Amino acid sequence: MNEMQYQVDLMNAMNEKLKNDQKMMKMIIETSTSAFVYYNYERDETRVMGEWENYFDFSIRRISDIQRTVDYVDETYRDEFLNCINAERLGLERCVATARLTDSRKWIECECSVIYDQDHRPLDKVLRFKDVTVVNDKNEELKYMAYYDGMTGLYNRNYFISLLTGFIDKARENNREVAVMFVDIDDFRSINDGMGLVVGDELMMSFGQYLSDLSTDNCIVSHFTGDMYCIAVYDPCGQTDIEYIYDRIRQRTRQPFMLSDRRELYIKVTAGVALYPDASENVLELINYAEIVMLRAKHDGKDSIQYFDSILLSEFLQNLNIENKLRDAIYDMNFEMYYQPQFETESGQLRGVEALIRWKDPEEGMISPAQFIPLAEKNGTIVPIGQWVIEDSIRTYMQWRKDYDRSFILSINISAIQYKREDFVEKLIAIIEKYDMNPRELELEITETALIDNYRDVSEKLKLLRDYGIRISMDDFGTGYSSLSQLKSLPIDTLKIDKSFMDTVLEDDNTNVIMESIMGMVKKLGLETVAEGVETEEQLEYLKNIQCDNVQGYLTGRPCPVSDLKEILKD
Ligand code: C2E
Ligand code: CA
Ligand code: CA
């Protein structure tokens, strides 16, 4: 083969390859839904390929026409888009931008590739426009779900945290405050339980919608879960003052929320506030503290606002600590019963003993029931604790009966939660029978709170217990709501007059008058009386004069462990 023939063959082969390449390119472009614009700098040649008409309704003759595409793009995306189509101005080899088109819901992606020579002068440029609506809508939806709460359209917790972080960074730089306010609908659970979840949801939404009106650049509003909302305010003052915002919310709640079935619903809200940097400099801690304060405000009486302070925090942390330890204490039953004697005022004879629980903590020593009983009631652990109290004190009492051969009254404190348990009566009677105790020697103390929200159920149980022979005593009388006339309808035997009367009765004439009328009424009702917290001889003398039947207090005997009670029981 000569040289010439070889050159011709080679050229033919190359042409063939070029033709095939072109064919392949054409096919690729034709099957694609994208639009392509090719530009060669040297020849100043512009070519448009693919589905250009699908994207833009103008045609391109020169490369400068490409700038018109920007007019089709939604304003928010314009800068980025412009940079992309002019990638060579920034010296980029490849650049991608996504944008929404103004007149349609379409999302397009623009990809620009530029080839440069050795001196970094552009040689060729390809622009590709691609429809990414489906993908992008999905992404937007995911983004929405990631940032917003679907039910209220407010920011969700996670996004709120990231925005709040921004506020705090800014405040740190500018030496400003940030307020975090936790807002919670009062009694939302009873709305949910009483009117149904649908109503609850509706309320949650319309309240959320109202709150969203409060949001500004310096005020972000979010919905955490259920009826809990959290608001953050950068540099609170004037119109964005927390008190002012809370007032606005409160004003709104003075008007009803309209439900879809045209029913009207009134709500009240409670708020807790923690300030950066006073309460904490940490985002999560601030939110946490605001919630704690809100819970505290609820506890103290709803429909109010409270601010974080350090005493509140230490109280809270201590309670938290106690609550945690309480679980261990129950596991090991680290409790001990103390007994405080009650004496007949006139004769000085032992009337009975009140069983009072003590918690022996290995680290902190004795923890007062006044401190842990309310927590145990809150978390439900009062049920096993109370069961243990009943069994332990009945066992002790039966031992005394055997050892000293005498009978008196064993008085046990029973919490409202215990009375409300369905199996309370049954379990109590089982223990009495197990130890073969005479039920007439047992007295159960009850406070008015046990009766408040469950009057019928609890008073029925009291009747059952009394029919069985057990005595019922109304504890802390005078501190609660029940009036003397109400006592008539209650199945009780004994009235324990609260210590607060003793504290003032000798100095205060009003207390004196009340005390005397209580005694008169009680006699008529045939109730027995026990005065609590008797500390002085004068008080004892006074009680004798008004014919109060029994006394209990530090004067006649402090609560003490079993071992110390021997002397009293022997006499
Ligand atoms: P409470 O039932 O009113 O018990 C009387 C409280 O007054 C006892 O406090 C007693 O130690 C105290 N006390 C008695 N005499 C005097 C006095 O002269 N002066 C003063 N300053 N205080 C006196 P304690 O033992 O700390 O119990 C506090 C509360 O804890 C009780 O108040 C009761 O509500 C509750 N509690 C105690 N033990 C039990 C229990 O086993 N079960 C339940 N559910 N509650 C209990
Ligand atoms: Ca008591
Ligand atoms: Ca009491």
Side-chain angles (χ1 to χ4, degrees), residues 390-436:
I390 293 171
E391 178 143 11
D392 195 71
S393 44
I394 288 183
R395 190 194 308 113
T396 303
Y397 177 79
M398 292 313 286
Q399 191 59 46
W400 284 330
R401 281 210 91 211
K402 223 166 78 195
D403 294 349
Y404 303 101
D405 189 29
R406 62 183 293 183
S407 74
F408 46 95
I409 292 168
L410 171 67
S411 213
I412 302 178
N413 291 287
I414 307 288
S415 146
I417 315 287
Q418 291 172 273
Y419 280 112
K420 284 171 196 164
R421 298 281 295 194
E422 210 173 307
D423 55 1
F424 174 66
V425 175
E426 194 185 315
K427 281 199 165 158
L428 176 75
I429 291 178
I431 294 176
I432 293 173
E433 284 174 355
K434 178 174 166 191
Y435 291 93
D436 200 19

Side-chain angles (χ1 to χ4, degrees), residues 349-490:
Q349 292 273 322
L350 182 73
R351 182 244 182 200
V353 294
E354 177 176 3
L356 294 160
I357 193 170
R358 296 292 178 264
W359 169 8
K360 301 170 294 184
D361 185 69
E363 287 156 29
E364 301 189 19
M366 289 290 185
I367 300 177
S368 155
Q371 220 178 342
F372 73 86
I373 294 286
L375 293 176
E377 287 178 329
K378 207 179 80 195
N379 68 19
T381 46
I382 188 66
V383 175
I385 294 174
Q387 195 65 18
W388 178 85
V389 166
I390 293 171
E391 178 143 11
D392 195 71
S393 44
I394 288 183
R395 190 194 308 113
T396 303
Y397 177 79
M398 292 313 286
Q399 191 59 46
W400 284 330
R401 281 210 91 211
K402 223 166 78 195
D403 294 349
Y404 303 101
D405 189 29
R406 62 183 293 183
S407 74
F408 46 95
I409 292 168
L410 171 67
S411 213
I412 302 178
N413 291 287
I414 307 288
S415 146
I417 315 287
Q418 291 172 273
Y419 280 112
K420 284 171 196 164
R421 298 281 295 194
E422 210 173 307
D423 55 1
F424 174 66
V425 175
E426 194 185 315
K427 281 199 165 158
L428 176 75
I429 291 178
I431 294 176
I432 293 173
E433 284 174 355
K434 178 174 166 191
Y435 291 93
D436 200 19
M437 183 187 193
N438 179 354
R440 285 173 215 291
E441 290 160 17
L442 180 64
E443 182 172 70
L444 301 186
E445 297 195 4
I446 184 170
T447 55
E448 288 157 289
T449 42
L451 288 155
I452 287 173
D453 51 343
N454 230 334
Y455 185 87
R456 182 164 316 154
D457 173 51
V458 175
S459 64
E460 259 162 30
K461 283 186 183 139
L462 295 184
K463 278 193 197 95
L464 279 176
L465 294 167
R466 266 183 111 211
D467 289 345
Y468 186 74
I470 297 167
R471 308 166 64 92
I472 307 293
S473 170
M474 174 66 78
D475 201 359
D476 305 338
F477 182 77
T479 56
Y481 310 85
S482 52
S483 61
L484 282 169
S485 55
Q486 269 177 314
L487 289 177
K488 267 188 287 197
S489 54
L490 279 175

Side-chain angles (χ1 to χ4, degrees), residues 245-268:
I245 292 177
Y246 177 69
D247 245 27
R248 274 183 67 186
I249 299 174
R250 223 166 162 209
Q251 294 287 332
R252 174 63 189 86
T253 62
R254 295 299 179 254
Q255 269 127 48
F257 283 85
M258 186 75 87
L259 301 175
S260 55
D261 60 6
R262 311 215 60 73
R263 269 189 297 176
E264 293 184 336
L265 197 63
Y266 283 90
I267 59 164
K268 288 187 172 159

